[in-house]
Amino acid sequence: MALISKKTKPVTRLMSVARTTRLSPNMIRITLTNTDLDNFPEDHEGANCKIFIPEENQSRASFSDQLIDGPRPTVRTYTIRNYRKEVKEVDIDFVVHGDDGPACRWASHADTNSFLGLSGPGAPAKVASFEADWYILAGDMSALPVLCATLEAMPKDAKGIAIFEILSEEDRIDIVAPEGIEQHWLVHSNPHEISTKQIDLLQSIKWPDCRIQTCIAGESNAITCLRQYILKEKDLIKDDVYISGYWKIGLIEDEHQQVKRLEAQS
């Protein structure tokens, strides 16, 4: 009789805020710390993680008990931007534009007295290995952390295009990228309005006749159009394409994840 293995439940750590850094008008980096990070995996920049958000004015002790005993706190999916083992710090970048959602609201008001739960990270890379002749990276501000991590991991002689869709011109940040990656910064100021700027740009350029790999993420309506164009019209090899909807206009994360599961089954 075959044995059925049980999945190990991911460790959820209670993290404290070490500091906050305003990267741009609409993005804040929250640096988190915990003395028990020795087993946190290295080289997972760009990987997904789950954050568990305390209620407003909830005490640290109460939240710590809730992480253990339930009920499950509000959870959101974010990206590991940096991990520094030597100082036991993890960076997570938050897009903030008002207090629309619980994660945005928490990050906007976070200080060194703040805390949250952190579970993960997941798989370490969106592009498992860099084997293409040309690369396409594209996304809105929710995807900036994964795009930046991917660019930093690329071979220095990589060539391609990177498209960053930001909320304002002031949200443009310095990117560490190979010189052969042509950067385009597009401003789309209303996050509640569907954007076609990324696909418009990709449709306007001449694509080289070579192997292409992608790392593309962001708002799901834009992603649907990009996926159709890249996989159907440009006929890229599916295994060379990472493309994912990180959020969807009008839906909270739980609703968006349910839609993604239904779409995967259809």
Side-chain angles (χ1 to χ4, degrees), residues 12 46 170 187 200 223 252:
T12 300
E170 292 73 27
V187 175
D200 290 345
I223 291 298
I252 63 172

Side-chain angles (χ1 to χ4, degrees), residues 1-104:
M1 182 176 66
L3 295 176
I4 300 174
S5 62
K6 293 183 179 180
K7 289 185 177 180
T8 303
K9 186 177 180 181
V11 174
T12 300
R13 297 173 171 89
L14 179 59
M15 306 290 290
S16 301
V17 173
R19 60 188 172 276
T20 66
T21 306
R22 177 71 68 166
L23 301 179
S24 76
N26 290 294
M27 182 163 277
I28 296 176
R29 174 165 295 166
I30 307 292
T31 299
L32 302 164
T33 188
N34 182 311
T35 57
D36 183 26
L37 284 180
D38 290 333
N39 294 325
F40 197 87
E42 297 184 80
D43 300 320
H44 276 57
E45 284 77 7
N48 290 348
C49 65
K50 298 292 185 182
I51 64 168
F52 298 86
I53 305 165
E55 297 292 332
E56 189 175 359
N57 299 321
Q58 186 173 10
S59 72
R60 185 184 184 93
S62 169
F63 184 66
S64 179
D65 290 342
Q66 185 179 357
L67 287 176
I68 298 170
D69 300 327
R72 189 187 197 204
T74 298
V75 62
R76 293 292 184 265
T77 305
Y78 273 81
T79 300
I80 300 294
R81 182 63 188 90
N82 299 297
Y83 168 53
R84 293 175 292 279
K85 183 177 181 178
E86 66 280 4
V87 290
K88 295 181 170 57
E89 290 182 346
V90 176
D91 293 335
I92 298 180
D93 295 347
F94 292 76
V95 182
V96 290
H97 41 82
D99 286 350
D100 289 347
C104 180

Side-chain angles (χ1 to χ4, degrees), residues 144-258:
L144 267 178
V146 71
L147 298 182
C148 290
T150 302
L151 287 165
E152 291 168 1
M154 277 185 169
K156 299 302 180 186
D157 61 351
K159 294 179 174 59
I161 185 172
I163 304 170
F164 309 104
E165 189 171 298
I166 51 181
L167 294 171
S168 72
E169 187 63 40
E170 292 73 27
D171 286 312
R172 183 168 178 160
I173 59 176
D174 291 333
I175 301 288
V176 177
E179 290 185 3
I181 300 295
E182 182 180 301
Q183 297 183 30
H184 294 263
W185 293 84
L186 311 175
V187 175
H188 179 68
S189 60
N190 186 355
H192 304 293
E193 180 181 275
I194 296 172
S195 172
T196 63
K197 292 193 174 186
Q198 295 176 59
I199 192 168
D200 290 345
L201 177 57
L202 283 177
Q203 289 175 331
S204 72
I205 65 172
K206 183 177 180 180
W207 288 45
D209 185 15
C210 60
R211 184 178 177 183
I212 298 172
Q213 288 178 283
T214 77
C215 180
I216 300 172
E219 198 279 320
S220 282
N221 291 290
I223 291 298
T224 297
C225 296
L226 288 163
R227 182 183 288 113
Q228 174 74 20
Y229 179 63
I230 288 169
L231 290 175
K232 301 298 184 182
E233 294 189 41
K234 304 306 288 187
D235 198 28
L236 263 61
I237 300 170
K238 191 171 183 180
D239 287 346
D240 285 344
V241 174
Y242 173 77
I243 183 165
S244 180
Y246 279 9
W247 64 286
K248 187 167 186 175
I249 293 171
L251 299 181
I252 63 172
E253 177 162 327
D254 292 345
E255 295 169 340
H256 178 227
Q257 293 300 327
Q258 183 177 8

Side-chain angles (χ1 to χ4, degrees), residues 114-132:
S114 302
F115 49 86
L116 51 63
L118 176 67
S119 177
K126 307 308 180 188
V127 181
S129 59
F130 297 98
E131 301 174 354

